Amino acid sequence: MQFTAGTTLRDKKFLEITQFEFVFKNLADILAGNFESDLLVDIIGAIDKMVFSQTQASLKKVIFTLRDSSGDVITCILWESHAIKFLNCYNNFTLGEPMIVLLTHARVKEGQGKYPPTVSNSWCR
């Protein structure tokens, strides 16, 4: 970009540009190993099952499974303030209705042995 003596600048609002854009990763791709462990992903699904919660200790953690619209299930781990926020919503959610979770900038961790990959917010501080 080159500015000359005749160049003028104005602030322009572009209302049609969204502030957030999600590129959801298919859970089937993650389960098949089609992911890069150092690339953050967006995923969405319904809570399938609460596996574990630890909020009284110094290290706060919640583990749950997430099911997508195809029926694929993946384990998710939330840490610290994310775990607390999740549990507050989960404990106040109306039973019988699906609880939809959207995780942004989540990290996929490769499975260990017989265990499949997991999704985590462990990169957050």
Side-chain angles (χ1 to χ4, degrees):
M1 187 178 304
Q2 184 175 7
F3 295 97
T4 64
T7 303
T8 58
L9 296 175
R10 286 182 291 186
D11 189 20
K12 175 94 171 134
K13 300 272 188 216
F14 292 100
L15 299 177
E16 64 274 5
I17 298 175
T18 60
Q19 185 176 2
F20 302 105
E21 183 176 328
F22 302 107
V23 180
F24 294 113
K25 182 81 170 165
N26 289 325
L27 297 188
D29 288 340
I30 295 172
L31 293 170
N34 299 331
F35 63 88
E36 295 178 43
S37 59
D38 60 343
L39 182 65
L40 303 178
V41 299
D42 302 327
I43 63 169
I44 189 169
I47 298 296
D48 184 58
K49 175 175 59 171
M50 177 65 78
V51 177
F52 176 80
S53 67
Q54 171 182 306
T55 58
Q56 301 305 317
S58 61
L59 180 63
K60 293 158 183 37
K61 173 170 71 170
V62 173
I63 303 173
F64 59 93
T65 56
L66 196 66
R67 180 180 303 273
D68 69 4
S69 60
S70 301
D72 293 317
V73 176
I74 194 161
T75 301
C76 299
I77 304 170
L78 299 179
W79 301 91
E80 300 301 329
S81 64
H82 296 288
I84 300 301
K85 288 177 189 176
F86 172 82
L87 274 179
N88 286 339
C89 289
Y90 183 80
N91 291 334
N92 294 314
F93 198 75
T94 305
L95 294 176
E97 296 181 19
M99 181 177 174
I100 306 300
V101 174
L102 185 150
L103 295 176
T104 62
H105 303 101
R107 175 192 227 163
V108 179
K109 184 177 177 186
E110 293 189 32
Q112 309 269 320
K114 65 178 181 171
Y115 298 103
T118 58
V119 176
S120 172
N121 75 312
S122 61
W123 60 273
C124 291
R125 295 281 181 242

